[in-house]
Amino acid sequence: MWSIALPLVMPIYGTRPEAIKMAPLVVELRRAPGLECFVTVTGQHRSMLDQVNRLFGIVPDHDLNIFSPGQSLNGILIRTIEGLDKLFGVNRPDAVVVQGDTTTSTAGAIAAFNHGIPVVHVEGGLRSGDLRSPFPEEANRRMTSQIATLHLAPTATSRDNLLKENIPAAKIVVTGNTVIDALFAAVRVKVPFTDPALEKLAESGRPILLVTTHRRENQGGAMRGIGRALARIADAVPDMAVVVPLHRNPVVREALVPPLQGKRNVLAPEPLDYGEFCRLMAMSRLILTDSGGIQEEAPSLGVPVLLMRENTERPEAVSAGAVRLIGTDEDRIVSEVQDLLHDAKAYRSMAESRNPYGDGTAAQLSASAIQRMLGTPPDGPAN
Ligand code: UD1
Ligand code: UDP
């Protein structure tokens, strides 16, 4: 009796946002007939990655465990490529799936390409138009686009970016963003906050300004300015709670903690579990961030976002009116927050904008596209 090996699909990811956006797709791939799914994590992030896998019940099949404190971009790249080289020698997938624009993602794509393994790029086609911002993500995503076999574009805008770069239309599928699938799954479950101070805040009903920042191009002077701006906002609006879940990067903490220390209406917890963070986003009056994923999630929750960046590769939410690009100047951050809090009409128009990133079916559409690429279409077996 012959047994035919099923095509092996290997999602590879390593950071918190990749884990969040890959989780719904891993769930779909694991239940898709006609293929096997083998999850490899690099461990570029450690605690922040493990948190997300636990939440979605994903136990990786292989862990490269490359994390080291203060890691450099090239260190991440080298250790990921070396680890995958060895892994592909003993467990060669028929397709690799990478997500977005991190160093893990591009290293995974390069390692697979060099082995002649087709690369599926989830969240393909995002472009800020500035190679140095966000750094190094814009360069990472452009490199991955060059070597991917299948591009899963979240929106028509990202598809058009790929078409302009002469990627054939037949290799692009518009799916929506899997982050919306993850968000819908997370908000369905009512979770308590681990930190009692956050539970108390939830009970109080006080307005919340939620803040996250971690981008490399903002680290240093700009991030210290963000810290000073937050201190001024906390003083100017004492009834409002300013909640700043701190990224694990010590560089971020050095910039933010000193100006915020001792402020009675500021909370700076450790990174929150995704479920808790989604609950906090939904409770917030306003979000101030330089994050990529939060720009996509907040419009689905009706919470306006002020984006502390000079440009964005996610122009859809800006056009829809849900996100406003404000840069990183300290005075501007203070005035933009205060203006929006006092302008009910502008606030309502941002809060009521539509979400341009999908309806929660992106993972299913992505899995189907991968099955078609492998010749095991979802609507009927190929053999
Ligand atoms: C990475 C991604 C960025 C993404 C971000 C999400 C790259 C180049 N950048 O940036 O695109 O937006 O993740 O958060 O891939 N650390 C820990 N524990 C953790 C995670 C991080 O201690 O679980 C600390 C370490 O000191 C580490 C530092 O944070 O050296 C920076 O982490 P790293 O993955 O190198 O880059 P991020 O800035 O997090
Ligand atoms: N997030 C989280 N806990 C936190 C802060 C953020 O789960 O304390 C989630 C957030 O909802 C979003 C993702 O992490 O889905 C964004 O990650 P990050 O800002 O680190 O990376 P980016 O999206 O900028 O690449």
Side-chain angles (χ1 to χ4, degrees), residues 106-171:
T106 301
I110 293 171
F113 180 77
N114 285 342
H115 277 258
I117 299 166
V119 174
V120 179
H121 189 199
V122 178
E123 201 184 73
L126 276 63
R127 298 288 183 268
S128 72
D130 178 351
L131 194 58
R132 300 217 147 255
S133 172
F135 176 87
E137 289 82 3
E138 176 76 0
N140 281 347
R141 61 173 85 101
R142 288 198 210 181
M143 286 190 268
T144 302
S145 293
Q146 291 305 306
I147 54 183
T149 300
L150 175 62
H151 308 255
L152 301 176
T155 65
T157 307
S158 39
R159 179 201 55 211
D160 292 348
N161 289 336
L162 292 167
L163 292 174
K164 273 186 226 144
E165 292 172 14
N166 298 322
I167 309 274
K171 292 180 158 197

Side-chain angles (χ1 to χ4, degrees), residues 209 233 237 240 286 288 306 326 332-342:
L209 171 67
I233 293 165
V237 197
M240 189 173 65
L286 192 60
L288 191 56
L306 295 177
I326 65 164
R332 176 137 187 233
I333 293 171
V334 175
S335 64
E336 290 277 357
V337 168
Q338 287 186 319
D339 290 353
L340 195 55
L341 289 174
H342 291 116

